[in-house]
Amino acid sequence: MTDARNSILVTGARGQLGRELVAALAAHGDVVAVDRAALDLADADGIVRVVRDVAPAWIVNAGAYTAVDRAETERDRAFAVNAQAPGVLAGEAKRIGAILIHYSTDYVFDGTARVPYTEDAHPNPLNVYGASKLEGERAIAASGARALTLRTSWVFGLAGSNFLVTIRRLAAERDELRVVADQTGVPNWTRNLARATAAVVACGRAYAAERAGLYNLSAQGQATWWEFACAIVGDVPRPRVIPITTADYPTPARRPAYGVLATDRLREVFGLALPEWRDALHRCVTSAAEPMPADRVG
Ligand SMILES: NC(=O)c1ccc[n+]([C@@H]2O[C@H](COP(=O)([O-])OP(=O)(O)OC[C@H]3O[C@@H](n4cnc5c(N)ncnc54)[C@H](OP(=O)(O)O)[C@@H]3O)[C@@H](O)[C@H]2O)c1
């Protein structure tokens, strides 16, 4: 049994955000990191068992079913991990008085807005992944647990599978990349998301508990996927990055045309603001990938 006063249970600890969280949170408590092998979030009994065994002060849920297109045909799996599991985690957090930190997505919106979405904007997901994440948010809110749900978007880093990694690989292989230019959002570096989470934890449990609720956690600025790809490739002549439309690149899951999140609430309540996404991208590509702290992952 780990000391309940300062222990931080991190789920999905081998994901791109999870591994950064494990590193960033280490300075703030005794991190117990569990990957899918140690805790399958589709197993509600397993969640109960692990939370009761660890008895953490904080639960940081970085685990999620993130295969947006595959979710269209794996609805039950997506909902088990993204909707039911957060509800079980929240129920257990409430039972032991832990604070739950959970992540959600701009894909809860339909993208018809043209100004940044506040936390109070009406969600209307276009795809199964977004619907499952929205149900997770609602399960947490309904539980009565003291929880912070942090919505973010377009997550990238040097590790894992994400747009930055894909574009860098394709840029080395091809002379020409065709990238969607009619979807607008905000790229977010895993390290900045993890450090912001650590800053929330550093505020202490009492402070966070009083300010439980939904927050947008996102960088400044906005981009289309094409602009993001151009920034990744840089000014080198090869490859050419060609803007295309969503209609030119059909996918199983529909995606919102606009997903910029307004970040005023997080700044006002926690004093937190993430840097501009271009600055984050620059820092990311000039940084070393955070090594996986394997000894701390169960
Ligand atoms: N990626 C994005 O662009 C994006 C955008 C907005 C919001 N978010 C949210 O940000 C959070 C972190 O996402 P991420 O980008 O770090 O995703 P990720 O790299 O796909 O990591 C998710 C982790 O969850 C694990 N997982 C999946 N199913 C599981 C299960 N049944 N039991 C236990 N673990 C399971 C995955 O393990 P495996 O590797 O074994 O599958 C993976 O390690 C999620 O809540 C996500 O919805 C992400």
Side-chain angles (χ1 to χ4, degrees):
M1 173 87 77
T2 309
D3 187 332
R5 281 168 301 182
N6 63 353
S7 63
I8 306 169
L9 176 64
V10 179
T11 68
R14 273 182 209 276
Q16 57 172 342
L17 178 58
R19 61 182 67 204
E20 289 284 353
L21 283 166
V22 171
L25 290 168
H28 301 280
D30 180 7
V31 174
V32 179
V34 288
D35 61 8
R36 185 207 288 259
L39 174 57
D40 181 352
L41 291 166
D43 172 12
D45 293 341
I47 295 174
V48 170
R49 216 170 25 249
V50 168
V51 173
R52 293 186 185 188
D53 181 40
V54 176
W58 301 80
I59 301 171
V60 181
N61 181 30
Y65 181 107
T66 56
V68 175
D69 287 315
R70 208 164 63 227
E72 296 297 305
T73 49
E74 291 189 352
R75 187 183 177 89
D76 290 352
R77 286 185 58 80
F79 270 75
V81 178
N82 293 345
Q84 280 119 43
V88 177
L89 283 168
E92 286 302 299
K94 184 179 182 194
R95 201 184 63 80
I96 62 171
I99 309 252
L100 173 64
I101 298 180
H102 175 73
Y103 301 89
S104 191
T105 171
D106 61 315
Y107 281 14
V108 298
F109 296 114
D110 61 17
T112 53
R114 286 296 169 267
V115 293
Y117 285 104
T118 68
E119 290 81 354
D120 300 325
H122 179 67
N124 182 32
L126 297 178
N127 57 45
V128 169
Y129 167 75
S132 69
K133 295 295 292 185
L134 178 60
E135 193 155 312
E137 291 182 2
R138 289 177 170 164
I140 290 170
S143 73
R146 295 175 304 172
L148 302 171
T149 295
L150 309 176
R151 279 187 186 145
T152 191
S153 64
W154 296 21
V155 177
F156 70 89
L158 292 179
S161 108
N162 61 65
F163 189 79
L164 168 65
V165 169
T166 301
I167 292 294
R168 278 158 65 108
R169 177 173 49 78
L170 293 178
E173 295 169 4
R174 299 185 187 174
D175 293 328
E176 189 177 289
L177 303 180
R178 294 159 58 79
V179 183
V180 170
D182 58 1
Q183 293 172 26
T184 297
V186 185
N188 276 290
W189 184 22
T190 48
R191 190 160 301 172
N192 285 348
L193 298 175
R195 286 181 176 167
T197 303
V200 167
V201 169
C203 290
R205 293 210 310 159
Y207 189 93
E210 282 168 21
R211 291 156 183 83
L214 186 57
Y215 293 88
N216 292 337
L217 172 61
S218 188
Q220 306 305 304
Q222 64 177 50
T224 65
W225 290 112
W226 175 74
E227 288 168 326
F228 188 18
C230 290
I232 292 166
V233 167
D235 295 328
V236 292
R238 178 182 169 276
R240 290 195 305 136
V241 185
I242 313 287
I244 62 169
T245 67
T246 300
D248 294 329
Y249 188 75
T251 54
R254 287 177 67 205
R255 283 157 170 81
Y258 180 86
V260 179
L261 301 170
T263 54
D264 309 61
R265 183 179 287 177
L266 195 71
R267 186 168 52 244
E268 284 157 17
V269 176
F270 285 96
L272 285 171
L274 300 191
E276 223 265 338
W277 71 265
R278 285 180 191 274
D279 175 62
L281 175 63
H282 176 72
R283 282 174 193 273
C284 173
V285 298
T286 54
S287 72
E290 200 73 58
M292 186 65 191
D295 55 329
R296 280 189 267 124
V297 177

